[in-house]
Amino acid sequence: MSKAKDIINGWTNYLIGNDKVVLEEAKRRADICSNCPKATHGMHTAVLPDFEIKQIQGHYCGECLCPLSPAVRSKNYQCPLDKW
């Protein structure tokens, strides 16, 4: 799958949010990301609230610049630092 498709998959899962398996994996990944020094708090919390995974709400990856809420929900996206 291409990176664009991975990103679209993550956004779809973030916006629809009805797949319990995806959410459980996203929570596992979010635990890793929330402790990563590359996780950076952005100004987009108001427009990208994450009601299910609060510890990464409003954060983005300082390595790839992706918002973490959709990134952790992508089925095939890989952490650029190989943490998940």
Side-chain angles (χ1 to χ4, degrees):
M1 190 178 275
S2 73
K3 185 175 179 179
K5 286 183 181 179
D6 293 341
I7 293 168
I8 291 168
N9 177 259
W11 278 105
T12 300
N13 290 329
Y14 168 74
L15 294 170
I16 296 172
N18 60 1
D19 187 326
K20 299 297 181 195
V21 174
V22 169
L23 182 58
E24 288 307 309
E25 178 64 9
K27 288 179 180 179
R28 184 190 72 78
R29 292 174 176 182
D31 285 339
I32 295 167
C33 291
S34 67
N35 293 305
C36 179
K38 291 285 189 170
T40 305
H41 192 267
M43 303 290 255
H44 57 278
T45 304
V47 295
L48 293 174
D50 195 324
F51 299 110
E52 296 177 343
I53 309 176
K54 296 286 187 192
Q55 76 261 37
I56 59 167
Q57 178 173 294
H59 286 74
Y60 65 92
C61 176
E63 187 72 20
C64 68
L65 304 180
C66 289
L68 290 179
S69 291
V72 299
R73 287 173 169 86
S74 176
K75 290 183 180 181
N76 295 310
Y77 183 72
Q78 300 279 322
C79 167
L81 301 173
D82 293 323
K83 293 186 177 195
W84 45 264

